[in-house]
Amino acid sequence: MGHHTFDADRADKLEDAGRRYRYVSGEELLWALAPDSSDTVADLGSGTGFFTDVVAPHADTVYAIDVQEAMHDHYAEKGLPDTVEPVTTGIEELPFEDGSIDGAFSTMTYHEFASDDALGELRRVLTGSGRLAIVDWSGEGLGERGPPLDERYTVETASGSLREHGFTIEHTFTRPETFLLIAVVE
Ligand SMILES: C[S@@+](CC[C@H](N)C(=O)[O-])C[C@H]1O[C@@H](n2cnc3c(N)ncnc32)[C@H](O)[C@@H]1O
């Protein structure tokens, strides 16, 4: 894993819609991931499913992947959409066949999982035309919200790591506090 893992006791913070949509909107996430209704998609570090719920109506299956069972419990209490399957595992060891996932996305979590093992696993499970959309707190951000600046990555550093693991960077954008990155399998 990367830096410290989000505390499941603070799960209610992930459901504060006003604060969440300030940093990434559902519309923006759907644009970045561009899921097809027949796609199998993975949400990397899904937490309480706040953004899983945004993608769920637009894909065939969304695997909600989180290393903390307690996060899936919070999501289940809220109600799982029919298309969502929770999977309790680290991104470093995904229980999927090679090339079996059409798209993956991650919101505010890249800094927690960005190890070589995790990025290698992601590349392994994505199809040859797989798409990856990441929104996370920027290392160049203001630091007014989110994790400490020294626990974050810049979009350049994240892009470099993804290139090293077989991705091409299609789009990057840095905002005052966050970055958005779209990568595709080479
Ligand atoms: C800051 S929360 C964000 C949750 C969700 N993406 C959102 O935006 O609402 C990060 C989540 O990622 C999970 N996580 C962190 N590292 C992980 C890893 N290596 N593998 C799987 N899940 C991980 C944590 O348990 C936590 O639920």
Side-chain angles (χ1 to χ4, degrees):
M1 277 188 229
H3 292 293
H4 80 268
T5 304
F6 190 86
D7 184 355
D9 289 342
R10 296 173 57 228
D12 59 319
K13 302 272 184 237
L14 299 176
E15 292 294 312
D16 180 345
R19 186 189 289 189
R20 302 311 310 279
Y21 288 136
R22 174 170 168 190
Y23 296 106
V24 56
S25 75
E27 180 87 338
E28 187 182 23
L29 183 59
L30 288 172
W31 166 78
L33 183 64
D36 187 90
S37 58
S38 63
D39 279 355
T40 298
V41 168
D43 182 357
L44 310 165
S46 49
T48 58
F50 186 86
F51 285 108
T52 328
D53 280 348
V54 169
V55 175
H58 302 276
D60 179 70
T61 303
V62 183
Y63 291 119
I65 295 165
D66 206 290
V67 73
Q68 298 189 78
E69 186 75 39
M71 285 301 197
H72 290 319
D73 293 342
H74 285 292
Y75 196 2
E77 265 174 41
K78 206 170 62 168
L80 289 172
D82 290 344
T83 51
V84 172
E85 289 186 29
V87 181
T88 306
T89 186
I91 295 157
E92 307 75 19
E93 42 187 359
L94 296 172
F96 307 130
E97 300 288 327
D98 294 2
S100 59
I101 304 290
D102 300 298
F105 68 99
S106 179
T107 52
M108 310 312 177
T109 304
Y110 177 82
H111 65 281
E112 294 188 29
F113 72 76
S115 66
D116 284 340
D117 286 348
L119 301 187
E121 268 296 81
L122 263 182
R123 174 64 190 83
R124 180 185 70 75
V125 301
L126 282 167
T127 64
S129 56
R131 191 171 175 89
L132 174 64
I134 291 175
V135 184
D136 199 12
W137 303 102
S138 169
E140 297 170 309
L142 300 169
E144 291 174 352
R145 293 268 191 201
L149 289 172
D150 64 2
E151 293 188 10
R152 307 176 181 193
Y153 296 88
T154 65
V155 77
E156 288 79 17
T157 309
S159 298
S161 299
L162 287 164
R163 282 193 197 96
E164 283 172 16
H165 288 85
F167 289 89
T168 295
I169 307 305
E170 189 178 283
H171 180 90
T172 64
F173 197 48
T174 298
R175 298 84 75 90
E177 195 70 282
T178 61
F179 69 77
L180 182 146
L181 182 161
I182 302 170
V184 292
V185 169
E186 272 180 1

